[in-house]
């Protein structure tokens, strides 16, 4: 058996880190090369420049629904914002009406 080249831990650490970074850089270059020659990538089509429209079309005025009884405009706006954040348009809201919630009453009765 031969003797180790070095027993200094700092030199061993530097050698190991150098090997690791060389492997990481070579993997990065390989990924970039594969990305550059990717045959499954969609071809980019040139965007044709369309002639500008003569006059902008005016957007229709939104139809304001009557305010539900007992709900303020802030509550309606908060509900519309929540529906929009869920991925729907605010126009998807047909009506806003409170539900009869007797859950707490019923759960209290069920425990007795």
């Amino acid at each position: 058996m031969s003797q180790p080249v070095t027993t200094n831990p700092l030199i061993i650490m530097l050698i190991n880190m150098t090997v690791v970074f060389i492997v990481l850089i070579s993997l990065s270059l390989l990924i970039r090369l594969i990305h550059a020659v990717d045959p499954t990538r969609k071809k980019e089509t040139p965007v044709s420049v369309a002639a500008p429209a003569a006059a902008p079309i005016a957007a229709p005025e939104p139809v304001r629904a009557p305010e539900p009884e007992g709900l303020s405009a802030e509550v309606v706006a908060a509900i519309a914002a929540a529906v929009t954040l869920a991925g729907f348009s605010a126009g998807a809201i047909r009506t806003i009406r409170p539900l009869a919630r007797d859950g707490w009453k019923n759960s209290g009765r069920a425990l007795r």
Side-chain angles (χ1 to χ4, degrees):
M1 291 194 60
S2 65
Q3 294 293 330
V5 175
T6 182
T7 56
N8 188 351
L10 292 177
I11 294 178
I12 294 173
M13 179 198 66
L14 287 175
I15 292 171
N16 290 336
M17 287 185 66
T18 304
V19 170
V20 167
F21 278 106
I22 288 173
V23 169
L24 287 176
I25 290 171
S26 63
L27 283 176
S28 173
L29 292 174
L30 181 67
I31 290 172
R32 289 180 189 183
L33 177 70
I34 290 173
H35 183 69
V37 257
D38 184 15
T40 61
R41 184 175 17 159
K42 296 187 185 217
K43 306 291 183 199
E44 294 180 11
T45 57
V47 178
S48 62
V49 178
I57 300 172
E61 298 255 346
V63 178
R64 289 191 52 95
E67 189 172 303
E69 294 179 16
L71 294 177
S72 65
E74 290 86 14
V75 173
V76 173
I79 292 172
V83 168
T84 304
L85 284 174
F88 301 99
S89 68
I93 302 174
R94 301 281 184 239
T95 60
I96 300 174
R97 62 180 187 273
L99 296 176
R101 294 200 165 202
D102 296 331
W104 288 105
K105 291 179 193 175
N106 291 337
S107 65
R109 293 177 187 148
L111 293 176
R112 291 182 187 177

